[in-house]
Amino acid sequence: MLESPDLQKYDISSLRGVVVSSYMISPEHKRRLQQIFPDTSNVYGSSESMVSMTSAIHSTEAQKTGSVGYPFPHMEVKVVGDQDEVLPIGKAGEVCSRGWFCFSSYYKDPEMTLKTKGMTGWVHSGDIGIMDNTGHIELIGRKDECVVFKHIGDKVYPSLIIDTANKHQAIKEAKVIGIEDSLIGHEVCLFVELHTGAELTKSELEEYFNEELLFLECPTKYFLIDVMPRVGARGKVNIQRLREIAIASMKE
């Protein structure tokens, strides 16, 4: 919507707000939306459950851009660790929810239902997030996309890299994946698609990240692709295809 060539062709002054749902967007894109639509709010959740929202009344400006909101009144939300233990405020873990809005089961798939909801009814989102002391949740990546440098024990989440990429004027979209490596734990691979007509070399991209982030926060591999591969009716980025591209490149 922000990139639409028709955005400036019409008088949209009467359209005050936009609700962004079921999609993780960067703080930079949220700021751009709020400049055009002042009452923009964010609703976070999946097809299985709607979890939280930002509010003009209950959220600060920083929380509107840096979080996906606080829990709905009818929802319970917790952040858990690898052993399903509830984590303290400010610690990263998987976001889980429970409430009447959550789905009852997958159609004719009890095995997948049990995997997602367990025996307690808590829906595991697969998203890694941090909750603050007001209940607002900051998303920092998908659980299966978080990569670990085993030689130093630190976790590198994709959100910092993606947010940094989105600040570059030439970059239209960015995606980060991790490829296992026997020496360092994972190769952190950044894929970027440029805006039409934009120019950016791989060395320029690497130099940009070295200036913006600490060494251990930077990707280890950079990929410039013409178009992000998509899959499914909703056009999600095809992570498996990105893995194939990265692995093939590393074998060359």
Side-chain angles (χ1 to χ4, degrees):
M1 182 173 64
L2 291 172
E3 302 299 331
S4 172
D6 293 332
L7 187 61
Q8 305 301 327
K9 291 173 59 176
Y10 302 96
D11 179 7
I12 57 173
S13 58
S14 62
L15 181 56
R16 294 281 305 165
V18 171
V19 176
V20 181
S21 66
S22 304
Y23 190 73
M24 180 178 173
I25 62 175
S26 70
E28 181 64 25
H29 282 145
K30 286 184 181 179
R31 280 190 285 268
R32 290 179 60 194
L33 275 172
Q34 288 168 353
Q35 288 174 356
I36 303 171
F37 309 107
D39 296 333
T40 293
S41 61
N42 192 88
V43 178
Y44 163 63
S46 62
S47 301
E48 289 82 3
S49 65
M50 297 301 289
V51 179
S52 67
M53 71 173 299
T54 53
S55 163
I57 300 175
H58 299 295
S59 304
T60 65
E61 291 303 314
Q63 288 169 332
K64 289 179 187 178
T65 56
S67 81
V68 291
Y70 61 95
F72 283 111
H74 55 270
M75 296 296 294
E76 296 177 272
V77 179
K78 63 180 180 179
V79 176
V80 303
D82 294 336
Q83 305 303 317
D84 214 27
E85 75 279 14
V86 177
L87 297 177
I89 294 298
K91 190 171 180 61
E94 184 177 10
V95 179
C96 300
S97 60
R98 184 172 66 178
W100 68 262
F101 205 98
C102 294
F103 81 128
S104 57
S105 64
Y106 291 114
Y107 182 63
K108 294 184 178 181
D109 198 340
E111 183 177 345
M112 181 60 72
T113 301
L114 182 62
K115 181 179 179 181
T116 304
K117 296 183 70 173
M119 299 299 295
T120 61
W122 283 93
V123 176
H124 288 249
S125 67
D127 293 323
I128 299 295
I130 298 174
M131 184 181 291
D132 68 14
N133 57 10
T134 68
H136 283 74
I137 302 164
E138 176 191 358
L139 288 187
I140 53 180
R142 291 289 295 171
K143 187 176 182 179
D144 57 1
E145 294 175 8
C146 296
V147 291
V148 181
F149 286 100
K150 295 178 182 177
H151 65 300
I152 57 174
D154 283 346
K155 289 186 177 180
V156 178
Y157 295 104
S159 60
L160 177 61
I161 297 174
I162 292 175
D163 287 348
T164 302
N166 286 333
K167 293 177 183 177
H168 198 292
Q169 294 183 344
I171 296 175
K172 178 181 180 181
E173 186 171 4
K175 199 71 177 177
V176 177
I177 64 170
I179 303 295
E180 290 188 8
D181 181 274
S182 59
L183 294 178
I184 66 172
H186 287 81
E187 294 279 9
V188 184
C189 303
L190 170 65
F191 287 81
V192 300
E193 176 185 340
L194 303 182
H195 288 289
T196 302
E199 296 183 0
L200 183 67
T201 66
K202 188 179 295 186
S203 60
E204 289 172 339
L205 179 61
E206 185 172 355
E207 182 179 350
Y208 166 72
F209 269 88
N210 288 335
E211 292 175 353
E212 293 291 321
L213 301 179
L214 298 175
F215 172 74
L216 292 178
E217 297 172 333
C218 291
T220 55
K221 300 289 183 181
Y222 296 85
F223 297 87
L224 294 171
I225 57 177
D226 294 333
V227 180
M228 286 285 182
R230 305 283 176 176
V231 64
R234 298 173 69 179
K236 292 185 177 181
V237 174
N238 190 338
I239 299 298
Q240 182 56 39
R241 178 57 186 147
L242 295 184
R243 291 186 187 278
E244 293 171 356
I245 294 172
I247 292 173
S249 174
M250 293 174 192
K251 290 180 179 179
E252 294 178 355

